[in-house]
Amino acid sequence: MGSVEAERLEARYAQARRLAAHVRNNTSDLAPAPMRNDVRVYTDPARHAAERQKLFRQTPIVACLSRELPGAGSYRLFDETGLPIVVVRGADGEVRAFLNICTHRGARLAREQEGSARLFTCWFHGWSFDTQGSLVGVPERERFQGCLEPSAHLIAVPAAERHGIVFVQASPGSQMDIDAHLGSFGDVLAGLDLGKCERVKTGQIPVNANWKYALDTYGEGYHFAALHKQTLAPYFRNDVTVYDRYGPHHRVGFASRDVEQWASKPESEWPVPGPAGIHYLFPNTIIFVGSVRPGFSYTTLFRHFPGEEVGETVTYKTIYAPSGVNSEEYRKEVEAAFDATAHVVATEDYVTAAEGWRNMVAMPEGSTVVYGRQELALQYQHMAIADAIGMPLPAVSA
Ligand code: FES
Ligand SMILES: [Fe+2]
């Protein structure tokens, strides 16, 4: 085993030791105190507009995983932030992103959700651009003389690829420092081996709630026993959390019930720990490694995007086979896992989110919600979001 792999395995053991100790002692990672939050954080259109602008246009956002752009010329549309973008892997292997807007008269250039192309040729008048965004073909070019210089190339948008993830910052001309953004979370992401993940199934789950209300449902296990009584509670404890923070990002580990079987045994009898848990990649992405059935592990991306309205969200959910699909039978298993999680999210979490958010709109001014000490991920997540948009959380009375 290489030293990097040995280090990653040791990190997983370290997490397993913490989980096991919590299970033995009936303890959990906890915030120092509960925290109240004004419901306006979820309902204020001005805050929503600031989030859309600062978090979704000026922060690196996950567009896809690397294997979804498998070779030179592979492209995908990335319209989720509201800006039409095409992400493409060039002949040099680099990932680039451009506004998906023809520089002649603004037509939509790439029109399939994904595909492979050496050139993008506009279907309106036939201008063509290469995978580096350069304008390389103009029918009747001489009739545009003097007008295509200095540049009629596609407008670039910052893009980068790290640890098997493709990031785009949906703002032309902006500076993106992906390494500064990821910070020490980069090592955690590297340990997930996302570069090997092969997409199996993808879909969208809309919810009539603020995007942060939807996001909150991924950060705590406290609701397993009540809301997910039939679906998750049989497999997971709701009172044991292992929490790690990496700048604005974090990882949350929940204790599956089988931890109780081995927590008191010597480590040599433990199952070898794999990567697991909820990984929050600021501001809107959850990478869930595991499944609603213990013993089975897949990688699922939940990317939450706010609509124009403060109470509109779409979650783009994609499940990946962590080391690729090796048989049709396995593909079906992963598809079934997608359906099982989507069912829990759509019929339990997001029903709660939609109803709860509607209640927030109806609450009198000054109303608050409270995050318990065990809901620590939510506490830090809201602080990080408020910090990033430069709008402090409203003061609340204790
Ligand atoms: S708008 Fe694209 S070629 Fe005219
Ligand atoms: Fe849930």
Side-chain angles (χ1 to χ4, degrees), residues 7-323:
E7 265 174 44
R8 285 180 189 166
L9 185 61
E10 178 47 34
R12 287 170 197 162
Y13 266 105
Q15 205 191 9
R17 279 180 208 118
R18 286 166 62 199
L19 265 183
H22 280 322
V23 166
R24 283 196 305 270
N25 305 326
N26 267 317
T27 52
S28 177
D29 288 354
L30 297 170
M35 172 185 149
R36 287 209 162 271
N37 202 9
D38 194 306
V39 299
R40 277 176 297 173
V41 167
Y42 296 88
T43 60
D44 175 15
R47 188 172 282 271
H48 186 66
E51 288 167 354
R52 283 187 17 120
Q53 184 57 30
K54 296 228 168 77
L55 302 181
F56 290 87
R57 293 290 177 85
Q58 291 164 20
T59 307
I61 298 286
V62 176
C64 61
L65 295 189
S66 291
R67 278 183 74 175
E68 295 177 273
L69 293 173
S74 299
Y75 70 86
R76 289 183 57 70
L77 303 190
F78 177 57
D79 293 334
E80 290 90 316
T81 68
L83 202 65
I85 289 171
V86 57
V87 191
V88 57
R89 191 179 297 282
D92 55 0
E94 289 289 309
V95 167
R96 295 180 180 81
F98 305 98
L99 293 187
N100 188 21
I101 298 176
C102 178
T103 53
H104 174 217
R105 277 172 47 206
R108 190 162 170 81
L109 188 60
R111 300 180 62 255
E112 301 289 332
Q113 178 56 35
E114 62 184 3
S116 183
R118 200 172 53 82
L119 292 177
F120 295 105
T121 300
C122 182
W123 74 323
F124 200 172
H125 312 90
W127 284 25
S128 52
F129 303 83
D130 68 17
T131 56
Q132 305 219 23
S134 301
L135 177 64
V136 292
V138 178
E140 305 175 33
R141 186 175 188 120
E142 62 287 353
R143 293 181 171 177
F144 288 92
Q145 202 175 13
C147 211
L148 303 181
E149 290 76 34
S151 170
H153 304 315
L154 293 181
I155 295 169
V157 176
E161 191 171 21
R162 291 288 186 284
H163 314 300
I165 308 172
V166 175
F167 294 91
V168 170
Q169 185 164 294
S171 201
S174 65
Q175 293 299 317
M176 175 170 92
D177 187 341
I178 187 65
D179 297 313
H181 174 68
L182 296 178
S184 59
F185 201 49
D187 288 339
V188 177
L189 295 174
L192 300 181
D193 254 343
L194 298 172
K196 290 191 189 148
C197 284
E198 182 179 349
R199 187 181 69 204
V200 173
K201 189 166 180 182
T202 190
Q204 299 176 17
I205 315 176
V207 54
N208 291 322
N210 181 254
W211 71 280
K212 299 188 298 298
Y213 204 124
L215 178 64
D216 286 351
T217 65
Y218 297 79
E220 43 89 3
Y222 179 43
H223 71 287
F224 291 171
L227 182 65
H228 300 313
K229 196 180 299 164
Q230 316 288 346
T231 48
L232 298 188
Y235 307 120
F236 292 95
R237 288 181 58 145
N238 69 319
D239 56 346
V240 176
T241 301
V242 173
Y243 179 80
D244 295 287
R245 214 175 151 197
Y246 307 85
H249 320 284
H250 62 230
R251 178 177 58 193
V252 186
F254 303 121
S256 60
R257 297 215 171 260
D258 71 284
V259 179
E260 291 160 359
Q261 312 300 315
W262 50 261
S264 300
K265 293 185 180 166
E267 264 182 42
S268 57
E269 294 176 34
W270 291 7
V272 177
I278 292 285
H279 302 74
Y280 171 53
L281 183 41
F282 184 85
N284 72 325
T285 296
I286 298 290
I287 306 169
F288 169 48
V289 180
S291 81
V292 293
R293 269 200 308 171
F296 295 82
S297 187
Y298 317 102
T299 304
T300 308
L301 240 57
F302 297 88
R303 299 177 306 129
H304 310 288
F305 288 90
E308 270 174 46
E309 298 299 325
V310 64
E312 285 174 0
T313 303
V314 178
T315 296
Y316 292 77
K317 174 180 180 239
T318 308
I319 196 164
Y320 303 83
S323 312

